[in-house]
Amino acid sequence: FKRLPYLMTICAFANIGSQLTVIGNPQNTLIANLGGLTFLKFLAVMIIPVVITFTFRLLVYSLSFYYPYLRGILLATDSVSTDIENKPLLSDEKLDIEEETMNNSYVRCFYFGLVVVVMIMVILSLAFEQNIGWTSVTAGFSLMILSAIYQRVSRRQKLYNETLSVLTKIDFTILLLFAGQFILVGSVVDIGYPEKLWSLTLGNLGEEKLLKFPYILAFAAVIAVLSNLLSNVPVIILIRPFLARWKNSRYAWLQVSWITTLSGNLTIFGSAANFIVAERATRTGLGGIMTGIAHVKFSFLPSVVEIILGVVILHYTAHWVGYKDTNQ
C-alpha cells in the first residue's frame, strides 16, 4: 500500500482549500487585518480560482495513477516496511484514549450541535465584518471549553482533568516554530536586508508596473521564492512596509495572499501544513516517505501552474468587489 500520494494529497488540498476564506489559514487572517479585506468580498474573489485550481490538482493526481511516468514519480520513494502496514494513517497513539466509542449518543449529538452553532456564529460575525482576531479567539476558546465539558460529561477522558484535556489539543511544537520564525524575521527586518532585497529585485518597478502583466508574474516569483525560504507568514511581515504605501494595496494583498498560500505546495518548506503532515508521518514510522525531494517531484510543477492561474484570474475578479482600480 503506497502512502506517499495520500500524504501529499493532504498537504496540497489543505493549502488550496484554506485559500477560500480569510480564516482558512494564518496568512489570510493577517492579510485581511493589514489590507482591510472583508470576509464576503474575499470569498467572492477567491471562489473561482480556488475551484479551478482544486479541479486542476484533482485531475493531475487522478491521471498520475494511470500514466506510468507520473505514477513512477509519485510512488518511487514510497518504500514502507511491512511491520507498519497496518498502522492507521497519521494516527497519534498518545490520543488513543479519546477514540473510545460513545456510550451516550444524545450527548454526542448535543455536542456536535453546539459546535455547529459556534461555527455558524463565526461565519455570521465575519459576514457582518466583525473583528477577525477577536472572532477567531472567541471561537477557539469556546470550542476548547465545549470539548473539555464533553470529555467530562461523556466520561471519555478518564486519565486527565479538563485542563489537561484542553492543553493536549494545543500543538506547542507548531507554536514554537512560528515564534522562532517571527524572531528571525524581526531580526532580519532590523538589519535592513528585506529592503535591500526588494530594491535589488523589484525596486526599479513601481506599483503601476508591478500590478500589471507581465511584471506581476515577476512579483509573484519573488514572493513565491521568499515564501519557501522564510515561510508565508514571515514574508507578509517582511513586505508589509512596502505594500502599505501602495495606492492599490488591497488588490496587492489579494495577490500576496494567493501567492503565499499556493507557494506552500512548491516545496516542503513552504507551508506549516507540510511540516505538520511530515511530523505526524514521522511519528508513525513514515518519515522516510515524505522527503523534500519527493515533495518537489510530486507537487512543484502543478503548483507553478496553479499560482499563475490564480494570479491571472484574480487580475479580473478583483474588479467585481472594488478591490482593484479599473484603470489597471
Side-chain angles (χ1 to χ4, degrees):
F1 177 63
K2 302 298 184 179
R3 308 292 183 97
L4 178 62
Y6 298 94
L7 293 173
M8 298 300 301
T9 298
I10 293 173
C11 295
F13 287 101
N15 287 324
I16 294 173
S18 70
Q19 184 56 30
L20 187 59
T21 68
V22 296
I23 58 173
N25 54 55
Q27 60 267 23
N28 284 359
T29 303
L30 178 60
I31 285 174
N33 280 320
L34 294 176
L37 309 180
T38 64
F39 182 86
L40 292 180
K41 288 185 177 182
F42 189 94
L43 176 63
V45 170
M46 291 295 176
I47 189 168
I48 292 180
V50 167
V51 170
I52 290 177
T53 53
F54 184 94
T55 305
F56 171 76
R57 178 74 64 149
L58 185 62
L59 179 63
V60 170
Y61 283 8
S62 299
L63 291 176
S64 67
F65 286 95
Y66 294 96
Y67 288 90
Y69 174 72
L70 290 175
R71 206 170 171 215
I73 292 178
L74 299 186
L75 307 180
T77 59
D78 191 353
S79 56
V80 185
S81 59
T82 56
D83 61 331
I84 61 172
E85 286 294 312
N86 294 325
K87 286 191 176 183
L89 184 65
L90 299 182
S91 64
D92 196 343
E93 296 178 357
K94 71 176 182 178
L95 298 179
D96 285 343
I97 192 171
E98 296 186 355
E99 302 301 326
E100 298 175 0
T101 305
M102 273 291 300
N103 295 324
N104 192 334
S105 60
Y106 293 105
V107 174
R108 184 178 185 181
C109 292
F110 185 68
Y111 169 71
F112 178 76
L114 289 177
V115 171
V116 172
V117 169
V118 171
M119 299 310 299
I120 292 175
M121 294 300 294
V122 169
I123 294 175
L124 289 176
S125 297
L126 295 174
F128 285 99
E129 302 183 10
Q130 299 301 309
N131 184 274
I132 296 175
W134 283 112
T135 300
S136 302
V137 169
T138 303
F141 179 77
S142 301
L143 291 174
M144 287 196 296
I145 295 300
L146 285 176
S147 177
I149 296 173
Y150 170 61
Q151 300 294 336
R152 171 57 66 94
V153 174
S154 64
R155 300 182 182 277
R156 294 182 72 199
Q157 191 62 280
K158 298 182 177 63
L159 298 182
Y160 306 111
N161 56 33
E162 284 82 356
T163 302
L164 290 177
S165 176
V166 171
L167 291 177
T168 54
K169 291 176 171 57
I170 301 175
D171 197 327
F172 290 98
T173 302
I174 299 300
L175 290 178
L176 288 175
L177 171 65
F178 280 116
Q181 287 179 330
F182 295 151
I183 293 173
L184 173 63
V185 170
S187 302
V188 173
V189 170
D190 290 340
I191 295 174
Y193 285 163
E195 187 171 356
K196 294 179 181 178
L197 179 61
W198 185 273
S199 300
L200 182 64
T201 55
L202 303 173
N204 295 329
L205 302 175
E207 175 189 356
E208 294 76 12
K209 285 187 176 181
L210 278 179
L211 297 183
K212 293 182 179 179
F213 288 102
Y215 302 105
I216 194 171
L217 297 180
F219 176 74
V222 172
I223 298 300
V225 171
L226 289 176
S227 294
N228 282 270
L229 291 176
L230 299 174
S231 193
N232 36 38
V233 174
V235 167
I236 293 169
I237 297 175
L238 287 176
I239 66 176
R240 176 178 56 182
F242 306 106
L243 267 61
R245 299 192 293 263
W246 287 12
K247 181 173 111 178
N248 219 1
S249 61
R250 288 190 298 183
Y251 170 64
W253 279 124
L254 282 175
Q255 291 287 9
V256 170
S257 173
W258 178 266
I259 297 164
T260 53
T261 300
L262 273 293
S263 295
N265 288 331
L266 289 172
T267 70
I268 198 172
F269 306 106
S271 168
N274 299 342
F275 287 126
I276 294 172
V277 174
E279 191 264 341
R280 292 296 180 90
T282 302
R283 289 186 190 180
T284 56
L286 303 177
I289 295 176
M290 190 173 169
T291 63
I293 295 177
H295 192 286
V296 169
K297 287 181 178 180
F298 190 69
S299 191
F300 185 85
L301 289 180
S303 298
V304 172
V305 175
E306 290 163 359
I307 291 172
I308 296 174
L309 279 175
V311 168
V312 174
I313 295 172
L314 288 175
H315 187 73
Y316 298 98
T317 58
H319 284 299
W320 299 352
V321 296
Y323 279 172
K324 185 172 184 292
D325 189 351
T326 55
N327 294 326
Q328 290 189 327

